[in-house]
Structure formats: structure tokens, C-alpha cells
Amino acid sequence: MTDAVRSQRGITYRSVDGIDLELDLHVPTGAEAPPLAIYFHGGGFEVGTRSDYEETRALALAARGIAVATVGYRLAAAAPFPAPLEDARAAAAWLRAHGAEYGVATERIGSVGASAGGYLAAMLALEVDGAPPVVDAAVPWFGPLDLAFMTGGTPLELELFDPAESFLGAAYDPRRPEHVGLNPIANVTRGASPFLLLTGDRDRVIDAAVSERFHTALTLAGVPSTLVTVGGAGHEDPAIDAPEYADLIAGFLRSRLGGAA
């Protein structure tokens, strides 16, 4: 797989508070200006690196003709939320401005992310505070897409890890405008970019119902949305990294961003 992909690592896309934030760019060889997707790792905004699941996600998509930028962003120990979202937007802007220098198409770009990264991927594809979407297509995997409806796990499991509270710093409160502004489902409008949602029906961290509710909201708003529920799959389940889902994601991104099959 890696023979068909050219990887350039450690590219600085932003410097903030004395921290150099980097991305790795994986480009299919032999493809002229392939479409570009940005991948954001998971980890609850507390752990994780841009190289997580690189072989089965970033390189798998690159081998299918999609250039992938895997992005490092600030975690909770370095900066409070919404720092990761600010970094995600900065990475998209940097790639729009500089991606062509690395041989990738930048007129239309997509976002992909798992768990916390799925949140970032989704937010980039929504109209927020009247601003248009930052990306042209999004593929969130089992992300916290409705902060008011996090039903995964037992009450004890949610007490140990509430995906919303872990980065808001408090339980989600719809009376607080800053919370509403950070809730993906509350920012669904007709102007959102198309979505492909993946989740597992055995997810004990972020219930599949969260993706289902988000898909329904997109559909009611008139936004193209496809929901894929993987039977028997839990959170960050290797089943979702199966080749058939990589094929599906690559096909979706190609159809929305352009590029030859």
C-alpha cells in the first residue's frame, strides 16, 4: 500500500502560544492533483496523535486516490477547548493556501475524523455563526454530534466519561449560547456540506443514536447525508476500518470533491 503513496511528514501549518502544530501529507503517486481530505484523530481531546490508525485510514484512503493530511491539534493539557476547533480551521485554511505546492487539489476539500476528530470534521462542514462551511464534504465516524443527547454507555460509564463535558468543561446547557455554538446538531442548516456518517451499533461511548439524530437533522434541512451503521461494531472498532468502508469513503469523497476513479 505504501508503495503507492508519497508521505511528507512534520509540515508546520500553525504556530500558536509557542507550539508548532504539524500535519503529515500522504499523496497518491501517479495521480495528478488528487482530491484532498483532512483527517482528525480521536482521543476525547485529551490523548492521541496524528499518526493514530495511519495505516488503515490515511494510507488506505491515499492508496484509493485521495490525498490525506493527518493533522495534529492542541489537546486539553496544552489549551482548553475550543483550541482544537481553532486549529482544525487553521489547518484547512493552510491547506487551501499551500496544498497545491504539494501537488494536491485545493479548490474543494473534505474532512474525515474519528470520535473527537469526527466532531472536528463535522464542525468544518457546517455553517457556524453565519460563516460558510470550511470544507466541501465531511465523513465523521462515531463523533459527539449532538452534545445534548449523549446516550452511550451506562450511567456509571457516562459519569466516568461524558464526551460533551470532557471538552466543554461542564454539562451541556442549551441556555448557554457558547454551548449551542459548539453543538454540531444545533448548527445544521441548508447550507451545510454533504455528509457520510459511520457508526457502530454496539458503541458504548457514543451511542449510534447520536449519528442517527444528526443524519435526521441533515436530511430535514435538505442536506445530502448517508448514514452507515456497522453491525456488531463498538467505538473505534477495527471492523469500521475494513477495506469495504475505505472504498465507500473514497468513493464518496471523489464524488463530492472531484477526481478520477
Side-chain angles (χ1 to χ4, degrees):
M1 179 185 298
T2 54
D3 291 342
V5 179
R6 179 180 74 256
S7 297
Q8 186 159 342
R9 304 180 190 276
I11 303 169
T12 299
Y13 72 87
R14 187 185 194 201
S15 296
V16 56
D17 296 332
I19 302 172
D20 288 338
L21 299 172
E22 297 179 338
L23 59 81
D24 298 334
L25 190 58
H26 308 283
V27 182
T29 58
E32 183 176 349
L36 172 67
I38 313 170
Y39 177 79
F40 301 102
H41 66 81
F45 302 108
E46 296 180 347
V47 297
T49 71
R50 65 183 186 273
S51 63
D52 290 350
Y53 298 93
E54 180 181 279
E55 183 74 24
T56 55
R57 295 179 185 176
L59 296 182
L61 287 177
R64 289 163 170 80
I66 307 295
V68 180
T70 53
V71 172
Y73 53 85
R74 286 173 292 171
L75 302 176
F81 208 85
L85 184 54
E86 295 168 355
D87 296 341
R89 289 171 174 152
W94 188 92
L95 287 161
R96 291 270 194 196
H98 298 282
E101 301 168 15
Y102 296 86
V104 302
T106 59
E107 182 177 353
R108 299 177 62 81
I109 63 176
S111 58
V112 183
S115 194
Y119 171 92
L120 297 176
M123 287 295 287
L124 295 191
L126 299 171
E127 290 184 320
V128 180
D129 294 330
V134 174
V135 298
D136 304 285
V139 189
W141 304 10
F142 40 84
L145 304 177
D146 183 356
L147 304 185
F149 189 77
M150 305 304 297
T151 62
T154 66
L156 176 59
E157 289 169 337
L158 285 175
E159 182 179 343
L160 293 173
F161 174 60
D162 179 339
E165 188 170 353
S166 68
F167 63 89
L168 290 178
Y172 179 77
D173 186 347
R175 297 168 297 181
R176 297 178 62 175
E178 66 272 24
H179 283 196
V180 175
L182 293 172
N183 189 0
I185 199 169
N187 290 276
V188 170
T189 65
R190 182 174 292 273
S193 296
F195 275 78
L196 170 62
L197 304 160
L198 278 80
T199 188
D201 69 352
R202 301 294 178 89
D203 198 321
R204 301 291 295 170
V205 177
I206 300 175
D207 197 284
V210 174
S211 292
E212 293 165 4
R213 286 169 63 90
F214 191 75
H215 168 69
T216 298
L218 290 167
T219 302
L220 291 175
V223 179
S225 177
T226 300
L227 171 65
V228 176
T229 302
V230 181
H235 200 72
E236 289 285 18
D237 197 303
I240 300 179
D241 291 321
E244 57 264 36
Y245 299 117
D247 291 340
L248 178 67
I249 295 166
F252 168 78
L253 291 171
R254 194 176 297 111
S255 70
R256 295 298 178 178
L257 306 179

